Structures are given as structure tokens and as C-alpha cells.
Amino acid sequence: MTVSRRTPGRRPGGPDTRGEILRAARESFADKGFAATSIRAVARQAGVDAALVHHYFGSKDELFIEAMALPLDPRVVAARILDGTREDLGRRIVAVFLGVWESDEGQQRMKAMLRSVVTSDEVARLMREGMTRMILEPVSQFLEPPDAKLRVGLIASHMIGVALTRYVVELEPVAAADLETLVDRISPAIQQYVTG
Amino acid sequence: MTVSRRTPGRRPGGPDTRGEILRAARESFADKGFAATSIRAVARQAGVDAALVHHYFGSKDELFIEAMALPLDPRVVAARILDGTREDLGRRIVAVFLGVWESDEGQQRMKAMLRSVVTSDEVARLMREGMTRMILEPVSQFLEPPDAKLRVGLIASHMIGVALTRYVVELEPVAAADLETLVDRISPAIQQYVTG
């Protein structure tokens, strides 16, 4: 292994320092999970000072979100979904989720994410924990018991399946349908999981 | 390229002849689609006589099914799904589809298939055409118009999404739920697409 002369020991932050912190974070979150990952350990692994990790990413939550490389902050997605009544929740879930996929950039990043999830156990673990903590748990607290978590999991499974068939497999007529038709058609199925 | 002394010109069928026919078939079905693929052209591509392709695979339908490498003949899946009333169709779809995934061998093969679909455009095209011809079209003819094909596409998207979250991503509590609970929970959402 060669070490650049410009970055001996703990680096003050070079052109790829941010990337190295993210790589170390991704590895730790996937291996140990969110709770057992510390900013200090990530910094050590990346060969930088913990203060630099805080400088680049702020909190552990934000480091985690950056490590997932999503096109949108999942906390923003959850907040948009939960902003309204329970009677319209099904429709908001479908509209917000498909909205993320409809832009060209969102679609590229979500496709790459979906491919990594399916081919890498590490990425699958990362996304599983991230989605659960930041979207599924807040949404399931909005639902009536008893099996709110299972129902939210099934909502997620349907939304991921629509994304897979529409944007990746391009199965017709799901791929060619306009967004409004899709939202109209899917919302009642999702709402049914909401009301239980 | 080297040619084995045992198989000069058109081969009578060696240990990997079947595999070579399948490779040629997969390529042609993915590139040109089902209708434009002929057994004669597949045989030529594989360097064997067309009679040998018929001997190994019977019809073009069967060659196509083998090329998709599914754990179960999709025509059998469609027949099981359609064997009953429209009022119970949602439940049969869920039970039959998840049944294919529940055995260890089925799960291994379906996982491999799902990974290939997501990472290879060729496999995605192959599966898209196969699923449409052999499962989605027969099932959509069982539904009332007007948008039966879209609704069947959304049923497929939900089922694929459940498979992805339960068996690949292992999202909880969908992954740990017992089969009966899942069938009970998902069937009403699917039935809703059936009745429109």
C-alpha cells in the first residue's frame, strides 16, 4: 500500500477523504448495524479525526443517510407521507414514492440502489435497517394496531414491486401507464393495508 | 477457437449440446423476442440440427420455458391460478406464487432469476415476454375489462415485491411471518385488483 506524501497519518481532508469516510461508514453500518456503529470507529477506519466526520456529515443519522446514497432524505419522504389524514395516507404513499422515481436522476439512483440491494447482502442489510428506522417505523406508528408493522412492510413490498416492474423490468402496461392512472389504481390497495 | 475432435461440424449431441442450445435460445428470445425466434435459427446458432432441438425440447414453447430456467412451468402456475372462481382468485394467486418460493430449491432458483432480471437487460426482456405470454395474459382474460391488463400487471408487481422483501432483502416482519398469515393479509389487496 502506498501513502501519498500530501496525506501522512491523520489527514485534514483531501479530495477523496469524504469518499473514504463514506466507504468506512457503509461497511460498519452494514456489518454492525446502526446502533453499534460509532462516528469515532468510522473515523479510525477511514484514518481521519472524528471531528472531520462531524464536519462533513453532522450527526450519525446524516452519515447513515449519505451512506445509503438515496436521491432523497428518507426523513423528508416520511414527513411528506405523514403530512395529512389517515384516510388519504394510501394515496400520499403512492404519490410520494413514485414521485421520487419519476425524475431522470431519481430513477438512475434508485435503479442503482435496487440493483445493489438484490446483488449485495451488505447493501441489503444497510437498506433494510435504514428503511425500517426512517420510513417504516414512523409510518407504522400512524396506523392502528395490532399488526401495523406487517401491514407497513407489505405496503413497502408493493411499492418496491411497482418500481421494479415499471422502471427496471419495464413490464407493460405498467411501464407505459401515466403517473395519475397508476396512483388512482394502486392507492386503494395501499389504503386497505392502512385501514387494516 | 478450438473444436473438439469428437464434435466436428453438426454434432449428434454431446455432453454440453443441450446447454449450448439453451444459450443460443436465450440469446435469440431476448434479442428478437418469442415470435421472431425460430427453432431452425437457434439450431444453426448452436451448431446442431433442428431435429436435435426438437428431440431435446419438443416445441418452441418448451424451449422458451427451459431458457427462462424457472423452478416450475409457468403454464402449470397459470393453470393452478385459474382453477376456481373469480371470487377466490386473489387468494389463489398469493398462495400459488408464494408456494413456488417457499421450498428451498424454488427459493434458490427464483432468487437467482430475480438477481439476473435486475442486473441483465437481456434476462429482463426474456422474463418480461415469458411472464406476459404465459401468466399475465391468461389471467387477464379471466378479469373483467376495461383495464384488466394493467390490474394484472399491478398484481404481478405486488407479488414480485413481496418475494423481494421476504426472501431477498429479508425485511421484517414480512420475512418472519408465517405463510398463512401472509396469504390472509395480502389476498384482499390482490382481490381488489381482480374485481377492479
Side-chain angles (χ1 to χ4, degrees):
Chain A
M1 203 177 139
T2 58
V3 176
S4 156
R5 273 175 302 165
R6 289 175 53 225
T7 57
R10 294 203 164 184
R11 283 155 298 172
D16 198 34
T17 305
R18 200 174 178 281
E20 279 172 43
I21 295 170
L22 274 181
R23 262 190 295 280
R26 211 167 276 140
E27 208 178 295
S28 178
F29 285 131
D31 283 356
K32 303 180 199 163
F34 182 84
T37 292
S38 69
I39 288 213
R40 187 184 301 262
V42 169
R44 198 183 312 122
Q45 180 66 28
V48 301
D49 199 273
L52 195 65
V53 179
H54 283 290
H55 168 72
Y56 274 127
F57 298 100
S59 69
K60 192 167 88 169
D61 256 345
E62 269 141 36
L63 179 62
F64 186 70
I65 289 164
E66 289 284 332
M68 289 193 292
L70 298 171
L72 207 64
D73 186 332
R75 295 169 301 186
V76 173
V77 172
R80 281 193 203 159
I81 285 173
L82 296 178
D83 182 25
T85 67
R86 199 185 285 154
E87 286 63 42
D88 291 325
L89 183 58
R91 192 174 187 86
R92 286 200 308 279
I93 289 173
V94 181
V96 170
F97 180 83
L98 292 183
V100 175
W101 280 84
E102 283 293 309
S103 79
D104 279 347
E105 201 223 328
Q107 201 166 312
Q108 288 311 314
R109 292 180 73 172
M110 293 291 274
K111 258 184 175 173
M113 185 272 285
L114 202 49
R115 290 200 163 114
S116 315
V117 162
V118 172
T119 49
S120 154
D121 288 343
E122 185 179 279
V123 178
R125 273 196 300 276
L126 191 71
M127 288 302 304
R128 186 169 62 219
E129 182 161 12
M131 278 180 47
T132 302
R133 288 186 63 247
M134 295 182 185
I135 301 187
L136 306 189
E137 278 175 7
V139 174
S140 72
Q141 279 165 20
F142 205 71
L143 267 55
E144 299 276 4
D147 56 357
K149 283 186 183 176
L150 178 61
R151 276 144 55 210
V152 170
L154 293 173
I155 290 173
S157 82
H158 194 171
M159 296 319 304
I160 293 168
V162 171
L164 188 68
T165 49
R166 178 171 168 88
Y167 305 105
V168 182
V169 181
E170 298 178 13
L171 185 81
E172 294 301 354
V174 177
D178 63 79
L179 189 60
E180 209 183 318
T181 305
L182 273 188
V183 174
D184 283 347
R185 262 292 165 215
I186 302 169
S187 298
I190 300 297
Q191 188 62 32
Q192 217 216 217
Y193 286 123
V194 169
T195 49
Chain B
M1 204 179 140
T2 58
V3 176
S4 156
R5 272 176 301 166
R6 288 174 56 224
T7 57
R10 294 202 165 183
R11 285 155 296 174
D16 198 35
T17 304
R18 201 175 177 282
E20 279 172 42
I21 295 170
L22 274 181
R23 263 190 295 281
R26 212 167 275 139
E27 208 179 294
S28 178
F29 285 130
D31 283 355
K32 303 180 199 163
F34 183 84
T37 292
S38 69
I39 288 215
R40 186 184 300 263
V42 169
R44 199 184 310 122
Q45 180 65 30
V48 301
D49 198 272
L52 194 65
V53 179
H54 282 290
H55 168 73
Y56 273 127
F57 298 100
S59 69
K60 192 166 86 168
D61 256 344
E62 269 141 35
L63 179 62
F64 186 71
I65 290 164
E66 289 284 332
M68 289 193 291
L70 298 170
L72 208 64
D73 186 331
R75 294 169 303 185
V76 173
V77 172
R80 281 193 203 158
I81 284 173
L82 296 178
D83 182 26
T85 67
R86 200 184 285 155
E87 286 65 42
D88 291 326
L89 184 57
R91 192 173 187 86
R92 286 201 307 282
I93 289 173
V94 182
V96 170
F97 180 84
L98 292 183
V100 176
W101 280 84
E102 283 293 307
S103 78
D104 278 348
E105 201 223 326
Q107 202 167 311
Q108 287 313 313
R109 292 180 71 172
M110 293 291 274
K111 257 184 177 173
M113 185 272 284
L114 201 50
R115 289 200 163 114
S116 315
V117 163
V118 172
T119 50
S120 153
D121 287 343
E122 184 179 279
V123 177
R125 272 197 300 276
L126 192 71
M127 289 302 306
R128 186 169 62 219
E129 182 161 12
M131 279 179 45
T132 302
R133 288 187 63 246
M134 296 183 184
I135 302 186
L136 306 189
E137 278 175 8
V139 174
S140 73
Q141 279 164 20
F142 204 70
L143 268 55
E144 299 277 4
D147 56 356
K149 282 186 183 177
L150 178 61
R151 276 144 54 209
V152 170
L154 293 174
I155 289 173
S157 82
H158 194 171
M159 296 318 304
I160 293 168
V162 170
L164 187 68
T165 49
R166 178 171 169 86
Y167 305 105
V168 182
V169 181
E170 298 178 13
L171 185 81
E172 294 300 355
V174 176
D178 64 78
L179 188 60
E180 211 184 315
T181 305
L182 272 188
V183 173
D184 283 347
R185 262 291 164 217
I186 302 170
S187 297
I190 300 296
Q191 187 63 31
Q192 216 216 216
Y193 286 123
V194 168
T195 49

